Amino acid sequence: MPLRMFSDKTPWDEARKDTRSTAAALEASDEHGALAKPLRALLGQWKALETEREDTDDAMVDANAIIRRLDAMLDREVNNLAAQLLVENNRDTSAAGFRRFFPEAPSEVVRLGLASEIERTGKFDKVASELGASKEVKAILKRIEGLRTRGTPALQGREKVAETRGRVSLRISVWKDDANHARRSIYAALEQYAVENRLPRGYADEFFPVGRSTKKASESAGEPEST
């Protein structure tokens, strides 16, 4: 049976388990214990990479949560602004005091993602200055500006996290390539050993985990087969 290579689709933890299984099998044999050394080194690298992967995943979860929260808060203030302007303009959406702030429907501003909404709401201050905004409108605009100020670095932070996660993903791919190289070398050494010692074909396969049938798995675990 050909040696099963790791690919980009191979689950990260599955690659670790397969590598560890082969290392343990080699160390259980007096003849092949030394072959496990590169695999043990790879397993050490796996742990370091896993810490980085987990940290970047956590950072992305945090970044997305912060951005969603800021987006929701900004949406609320945009709606507050629209409501206040409606009150001040006798609910006339065609009045200049409303239309200058919202040439489009307020709902269209609210539907924007945070980055686009930050850019769009940046136009409010100029309109307020030109029209002479009420203190109520100014108070809302101050809160909007505070959210815009917080939102920009939050978006930039997420971009940096995404870049870091991309680098970690690349290093994981490199790890899999290194593991495949080590495993191929070990497999070749085991096959050569089998030829030299007249061992059965498939000897090398015994050191590498393969998918097992449900029946064999249950037998190995000492569980009765279902009937």
Side-chain angles (χ1 to χ4, degrees), residues 10-23:
T10 303
W12 180 225
D13 194 54
E14 181 180 310
R16 175 190 67 84
K17 289 178 178 178
D18 280 11
T19 301
R20 186 180 183 90
S21 176
T22 298

Side-chain angles (χ1 to χ4, degrees), residues 73-119:
M73 293 166 71
L74 186 54
D75 290 346
R76 187 172 297 110
E77 293 301 342
V78 169
N79 283 327
N80 288 340
L81 176 62
Q84 180 61 35
L85 291 171
L86 283 173
V87 169
E88 294 180 5
N89 290 275
N90 299 314
R91 309 200 71 79
D92 182 3
T93 58
S94 64
F98 186 91
R99 180 63 65 184
R100 290 285 301 280
F101 280 97
F102 292 104
E104 74 278 72
S107 59
E108 292 185 23
V109 178
V110 168
R111 280 197 294 266
L112 295 172
L114 183 60
S116 297
E117 194 169 356
I118 285 174
E119 181 180 359

Side-chain angles (χ1 to χ4, degrees), residues 3-12 15-16 19 38-39 42 45-46 49 168-186:
L3 176 62
R4 181 168 57 90
M5 293 288 99
F6 300 149
S7 70
D8 287 338
K9 294 183 179 180
T10 303
W12 180 225
R16 175 190 67 84
T19 301
L39 299 184
L42 283 163
Q45 295 170 18
W46 188 98
L49 269 174
V168 171
S169 294
L170 178 60
R171 291 173 62 192
I172 286 174
S173 293
V174 171
W175 185 95
K176 288 180 179 179
D177 286 342
D178 289 345
N180 282 337
H181 177 76
R183 293 163 70 244
R184 277 196 300 266
S185 296
I186 291 168

